[in-house]
Amino acid sequence: MAKRAEKKKTEPALGEIAAPEWERILREMVLVRKFEEASEKAFRKGKIGGYLHVYSGQEAVVAGITSALRKDDIVYAGYRDHAHALLLGSDPKDVMAELYGKASGVSKGKGGSMHLFDVDRGLYGGYGIVGGHLPLAAGTAYSLRYSGTDRVCVCFFGDGAMNIGSFHEALNMAGLWGKRGMCPVIFVIENNGYAMGTSVDRHSAVTDLSARVEAYAIPSEKVDGQDTFAMRGVADRVISQVRMTGRPYCIEAITYRFSGHGAADLFQPYRSKEEVEESRHRDPILILSKRLREMTGLTDEDLQEMSDWADEEVAEAVRFAEEAEEPDPKELFEDVIALEPGREPDGDVSSPLHWGPRDEGGGEEDEEDEEAEDAEDVEAAASSEQAGDEEGEEE
Ligand SMILES: Cc1ncc(C[n+]2csc(CCOP(=O)(O)OP(=O)(O)O)c2C)c(N)n1
């Protein structure tokens, strides 16, 4: 009996989420898959520079979570971030243009595949430094609560990111702030079994990853990351709980990436062909399609129409990216903290965004002033000490 109640919690029935919404989620997952296939092709043709990590196989994880978020919630992602942008509603044309390094890309062509950024859609970035975004997510969650809102922050990261120092620092602070209801962050471990070519049991002393999170007073649970129903179920429950309590939570989604780690990982000696083949039976798109066929009467024609629509959207995105303008080289110095060599800071120089080369003369003066102030303080302290001694003598 208890078991059945638990199951219902993680698998919302169709009545709770309307059939058209499930079909919309499936349609978007198909779009992500086709987008990834096209981006790999473009990378191999040399159209995309830098690096490229695709998400095929993991679509249910982000689809389940993002479909349960509010528009004003915030999401952080690692470098495998195309699906996050697309499922939050970024225009596929702007995402593809970013991969191509074009000016109309979501990060003005400066970020590329690993650094998508679309604040209007709630995406506060993809991050190429493994685990680098976890402290940002914890701090963002704190600020959301501190400013009196009930918004939440979701932070996606891979199993490999759990072995980096910033993971432990971020989780410790989140656990601590969470005790006072001040850290509405949901950590989502996208456990695809590998950090590049190193399997979880070769990179982690404790392979029960969600259990490791509990050491920081953050409750957690595991979920089948290939099953969109299960992902959406846990997302609905956890997001509303975190929104209400301001306490962090961790979801470990057990998933699998069908492609190599990155576009250059062609031979994948760390896993067998059979293993990859086998994982295809747990394709999240097939699982959801089958479910919807049974529950909403989705037909082959409907699936074909979704596939054709996604093909057209992606073809248009590629066309757009190919034809888009390269960024102006001057743009290199915009939106960054460092200034061009020799350029004077303008505007409010007290803002970190205007930090520039320090004026040496002014700097010395400042130092002299500080030294004089220090000397005055020492003098004042010495004379009051002396006065105290004299008082003592009088006594
Ligand atoms: C701080 C840091 N160390 C090392 C790397 C090199 N690196 C790139 S990807 C990766 C593996 C990360 O694996 P995981 O977090 O599981 O993400 P997945 O690729 O599975 O999504 C590493 C170590 C990096 N980018 N940043």
Side-chain angles (χ1 to χ4, degrees):
M1 193 65 194
K3 255 196 173 158
R4 211 181 299 153
E6 206 173 277
K7 202 169 176 204
K8 183 157 187 307
K9 263 197 268 169
T10 55
E11 296 191 2
L14 265 181
E16 291 168 48
I17 295 171
E21 186 176 354
W22 276 121
E23 287 171 14
R24 181 187 60 77
I25 293 170
L26 175 62
R27 177 181 290 271
E28 290 182 352
M29 286 165 65
V30 173
L31 176 74
V32 169
R33 178 72 56 88
K34 304 253 184 195
F35 184 97
E36 294 298 50
E37 287 164 359
S39 71
E40 262 190 315
K41 246 189 228 161
F43 184 88
R44 299 207 191 294
K45 283 191 202 156
K47 306 267 184 178
I48 293 175
Y51 220 66
L52 186 95
H53 308 85
V54 307
Y55 200 70
S56 303
Q58 302 187 204
E59 294 89 348
V61 180
V62 179
I65 304 269
T66 53
S67 64
L69 286 173
R70 254 181 14 204
K71 290 252 173 295
D72 62 345
D73 293 327
I74 289 177
V75 170
Y76 283 88
Y79 50 81
R80 201 178 292 283
D81 58 352
H82 312 165
H84 305 65
L86 294 171
L87 292 169
L88 283 168
S90 299
D91 189 323
K93 295 199 283 300
D94 301 338
V95 179
M96 190 60 87
E98 187 58 43
L99 269 46
Y100 273 66
K102 298 294 182 75
S104 47
V106 284
S107 308
K108 302 188 188 173
K110 300 178 192 183
S113 158
M114 300 198 279
H115 306 107
L116 304 177
F117 212 90
D118 194 347
V119 171
D120 293 342
R121 307 272 161 356
L123 179 63
Y124 276 43
Y127 292 80
I129 297 297
V130 171
H133 55 305
L134 274 73
L136 300 178
T140 299
Y142 183 90
S143 83
L144 292 177
R145 205 64 173 188
Y146 187 77
S147 50
T149 72
D150 69 345
R151 297 159 70 192
V152 301
C153 177
V154 179
C155 181
F156 292 92
F157 54 91
D159 44 276
M162 297 182 68
N163 301 317
I164 199 147
S166 60
F167 166 83
H168 301 279
E169 295 172 19
L171 269 85
N172 184 50
M173 292 313 291
L176 202 57
W177 289 332
K179 286 185 178 171
R180 291 189 284 124
M182 289 298 290
C183 201
V185 62
I186 298 151
F187 293 111
V188 181
I189 310 169
E190 299 178 276
N191 182 359
N192 60 18
Y194 296 92
M196 296 181 89
T198 312
S199 58
V200 171
D201 58 346
R202 290 182 61 230
H203 75 58
S204 279
V206 175
T207 52
D208 185 350
L209 302 184
S210 35
R212 285 170 65 185
V213 168
E214 307 228 346
Y216 296 104
I218 298 176
S220 69
E221 67 187 89
K222 285 188 207 301
V223 58
D224 178 355
Q226 302 310 91
D227 180 347
T228 319
F229 266 63
M231 281 308 307
R232 175 62 192 256
V234 77
D236 276 337
R237 175 165 45 82
V238 168
I239 291 168
S240 58
Q241 176 188 316
V242 170
R243 201 183 292 293
M244 198 169 65
T245 61
R247 290 172 177 254
Y249 200 92
C250 175
I251 298 167
E252 178 187 359
I254 310 295
T255 184
Y256 199 83
R257 63 168 155 75
F258 294 157
S259 299
H261 162 72
D265 179 17
L266 292 175
F267 305 110
Q268 306 173 43
Y270 53 87
R271 57 185 195 178
S272 66
K273 276 203 179 103
E274 293 73 36
E275 180 185 307
V276 180
E277 199 75 358
E278 187 64 24
S279 74
R280 290 272 178 186
H281 298 303
R282 302 270 308 141
D283 182 330
I285 292 180
L286 291 184
I287 293 175
L288 184 57
S289 308
K290 185 165 178 280
R291 201 75 167 260
L292 297 185
R293 274 174 195 277
E294 289 159 9
M295 300 181 80
T296 70
L298 191 78
T299 62
D300 285 346
E301 291 71 44
D302 295 330
L303 287 168
Q304 190 57 51
E305 182 275 321
M306 276 184 198
S307 170
D308 294 344
W309 167 82
D311 279 338
E312 187 41 48
E313 286 285 305
V314 171
E316 201 184 325
V318 171
R319 261 195 312 271
F320 177 82
E322 302 246 345
E323 289 163 13
E325 297 280 318
E326 298 283 346
D328 185 332
K330 276 197 217 131
E331 271 281 318
L332 274 175
F333 297 99
E334 298 300 326
D335 310 317
V336 290
I337 290 176
L339 293 177
E340 274 172 276
R343 180 169 145 194
E344 290 297 316
D346 45 33
D348 173 13
V349 288
S350 65
S351 154
L353 290 176
H354 290 86
W355 284 346
R358 200 179 153 128
D359 177 297
E360 275 183 21
E364 272 165 23
E365 251 170 48
D366 286 350
E367 273 168 32
E368 275 166 24
D369 288 351
E370 271 170 30
E371 273 170 28
E373 274 169 25
D374 286 351
E376 276 169 25
D377 288 347
V378 171
E379 233 171 76
S383 60
S384 76
E385 218 175 274
Q386 204 182 344
D389 287 351
E390 280 162 9
E391 273 167 30
E393 271 167 28
E394 272 170 25
E395 272 172 25

